Amino acid sequence: MKRWFLRILGSLLLVVLVAGAVFYLRPLWVSDQLLRYKMWRQGVRSHYIELDGHRIHYVEAGPGNGKQLLLVHGLGSRVEDWAELIPRFAGEGYHVYAPDLLGYGRSEKPKDSDYSIVEEEKMVAKFMDAMHLARPDVIGWSMGGWVSMRLAVDYPQRVRRLVLYDTAGLYFQVDFSFDNFTPKSIDEVTELLRVLEPVPTRLPDFVSRDVVRRAAENGWVTQRSIHAMTIGRELMDFRLNGLKLPVLVVWGKMDRLIPPVTGERLQQLVPQARLEIVDGCGHLAPRECPVPVFAATKEFLASEPATAGGRREWPK
């Protein structure tokens, strides 16, 4: 009996040691698995589809006959960053679709793609065709907002209403280094968090090292996207007069990456747009402050006729 107990105890200790080593060496992988399990428990299902010969990952949730809602993530992001919002929209009767853009998340990363806004817009349009999305509401976050704005301008008949979270796509004065999006040191990870978060998270060094390792593996995709965006040919400043559908703009008041003044200028360029400012939140407002972001979006998508113009501020 004693020998049996010692064997069981030894096995358990071995499992704990292995799990601890995996977490120490690959904390981001462990975090991803836990987040994906949480999303699965909430009814979010993961799938793959082939588009133009490329394997694209996406998730969906909500009733099959629900109102169609398409979510487009941002630079260096992936579908898991929508984890706070997808179950909320699904719970309100939306059938939610969220793809990993080409090169991001679990989607294929072809070496011959430039990962430009135009390239990603084409992928999203093809994804809509494959999913038979007739005229969904579209939400774009950061770079995904840029992709979504372009989609709505090029194919206005394909989008019912447009929601933009801390969106890129207009010219603004940059006061940070784009190299920080692919950090090569712990200090650069700290600087990236300073730009993204109003109160930067203090990551343990072993987590920061894993961020650096992942950036070394996949950062070339992000850098290609940045190169395509910073050339300036795809900026929307002079194309937004073609945006006639209802638009909601939501911005974190403490966004250091793309300042709220950019959202104000966007509203000036699109007179029917409504601007919602969320206090205490930065560029990651949909993840940091999901309650007010969801409330503002839900109200806008349900309003009949669509809420237009004006500005409102939300507490965190």
Side-chain angles (χ1 to χ4, degrees), residues 25-172:
L25 295 173
R26 295 292 186 268
L28 298 183
W29 181 85
V30 173
S31 176
D32 284 348
Q33 304 317 305
L34 293 174
L35 182 55
R36 289 167 188 170
Y37 176 70
K38 176 184 175 182
M39 293 173 72
W40 179 81
R41 288 287 304 270
Q42 294 173 321
V44 182
R45 296 295 178 256
S46 175
H47 307 284
Y48 288 89
I49 188 171
E50 187 168 301
L51 299 176
D52 261 2
H54 300 305
R55 193 168 187 249
I56 299 299
H57 173 255
Y58 70 98
V59 298
E60 64 178 312
N65 61 348
K67 299 164 283 186
Q68 295 177 338
L69 179 63
L70 175 64
L71 309 181
V72 186
H73 69 73
L75 181 72
S77 184
R78 69 269 171 83
V79 296
E80 285 84 2
D81 289 323
W82 294 109
E84 290 291 342
L85 292 183
I86 291 177
R88 286 179 164 90
F89 284 118
E92 290 295 326
Y94 288 92
H95 192 103
V96 186
Y97 298 84
D100 277 325
L101 293 176
L102 187 68
Y104 292 95
R106 286 176 272 175
S107 287
E108 190 176 335
K109 300 168 176 59
K111 296 292 185 181
D112 58 349
S113 174
D114 63 3
Y115 300 104
S116 63
I117 299 300
V118 172
E119 189 77 14
E120 299 294 8
E121 177 202 11
K122 289 178 182 176
M123 194 285 288
V124 171
K126 286 175 176 146
F127 178 79
M128 292 172 68
D129 290 339
M131 296 294 106
H132 306 291
L133 304 185
R135 198 162 169 254
D137 295 317
V138 177
I139 300 177
W141 180 3
S142 193
M143 183 188 78
W146 194 344
V147 173
S148 300
M149 282 193 291
R150 188 178 176 94
L151 181 77
V153 169
D154 289 343
Y155 308 101
Q157 74 283 1
R158 302 200 63 178
V159 179
R160 190 183 82 98
R161 293 184 184 181
L162 178 64
V163 180
L164 303 169
Y165 297 155
D166 295 81
T167 189
L170 287 94
Y171 175 80
F172 65 96

Side-chain angles (χ1 to χ4, degrees), residues 40-316:
W40 179 81
R41 288 287 304 270
Q42 294 173 321
V44 182
R45 296 295 178 256
S46 175
H47 307 284
Y48 288 89
I49 188 171
E50 187 168 301
L51 299 176
D52 261 2
H54 300 305
R55 193 168 187 249
I56 299 299
H57 173 255
Y58 70 98
V59 298
E60 64 178 312
N65 61 348
K67 299 164 283 186
Q68 295 177 338
L69 179 63
L70 175 64
L71 309 181
V72 186
H73 69 73
L75 181 72
S77 184
R78 69 269 171 83
V79 296
E80 285 84 2
D81 289 323
W82 294 109
E84 290 291 342
L85 292 183
I86 291 177
R88 286 179 164 90
F89 284 118
E92 290 295 326
Y94 288 92
H95 192 103
V96 186
Y97 298 84
D100 277 325
L101 293 176
L102 187 68
Y104 292 95
R106 286 176 272 175
S107 287
E108 190 176 335
K109 300 168 176 59
K111 296 292 185 181
D112 58 349
S113 174
D114 63 3
Y115 300 104
S116 63
I117 299 300
V118 172
E119 189 77 14
E120 299 294 8
E121 177 202 11
K122 289 178 182 176
M123 194 285 288
V124 171
K126 286 175 176 146
F127 178 79
M128 292 172 68
D129 290 339
M131 296 294 106
H132 306 291
L133 304 185
R135 198 162 169 254
D137 295 317
V138 177
I139 300 177
W141 180 3
S142 193
M143 183 188 78
W146 194 344
V147 173
S148 300
M149 282 193 291
R150 188 178 176 94
L151 181 77
V153 169
D154 289 343
Y155 308 101
Q157 74 283 1
R158 302 200 63 178
V159 179
R160 190 183 82 98
R161 293 184 184 181
L162 178 64
V163 180
L164 303 169
Y165 297 155
D166 295 81
T167 189
L170 287 94
Y171 175 80
F172 65 96
Q173 191 67 41
V174 176
D175 63 353
F176 56 87
S177 171
F178 287 113
D179 288 341
N180 288 333
F181 285 101
T182 52
K184 300 176 180 63
S185 68
I186 290 176
D187 287 344
E188 289 184 4
V189 172
T190 301
E191 179 60 21
L192 177 60
L193 293 175
R194 184 195 68 80
V195 172
L196 292 177
E197 301 178 347
V199 181
T201 304
R202 290 189 175 185
L203 295 179
D205 284 355
F206 76 95
V207 177
S208 293
R209 283 194 294 270
D210 203 27
V211 173
V212 172
R213 181 197 60 79
R214 183 171 285 186
E217 288 181 356
N218 302 320
W220 63 275
V221 173
T222 302
Q223 286 301 324
R224 282 196 194 177
S225 294
I226 290 172
H227 175 73
M229 290 189 288
T230 53
I231 289 173
R233 288 190 303 226
E234 299 177 358
L235 288 172
M236 299 296 296
D237 300 65
F238 301 106
R239 295 198 65 199
L240 289 179
N241 60 338
L243 199 55
K244 304 301 182 184
L245 49 76
V247 178
L248 175 68
V249 180
V250 182
W251 223 278
K253 191 173 184 177
M254 298 178 69
D255 190 340
R256 296 190 185 102
L257 181 62
I258 308 177
V261 66
T262 308
E264 294 169 359
R265 191 159 68 85
L266 175 57
Q267 188 183 38
Q268 292 170 1
L269 293 170
V270 185
Q272 78 273 19
R274 179 166 181 79
L275 179 61
E276 308 273 1
I277 302 292
V278 185
D279 194 17
C281 300
H283 190 69
L284 306 180
R287 194 171 75 187
E288 298 168 339
C289 310
V291 173
V293 169
F294 172 71
T297 307
K298 173 187 169 184
E299 178 184 295
F300 169 74
L301 294 179
S303 61
E304 292 295 348
T307 306
R311 169 179 172 145
R312 177 170 53 177
E313 294 207 11
W314 295 73
K316 183 175 181 178

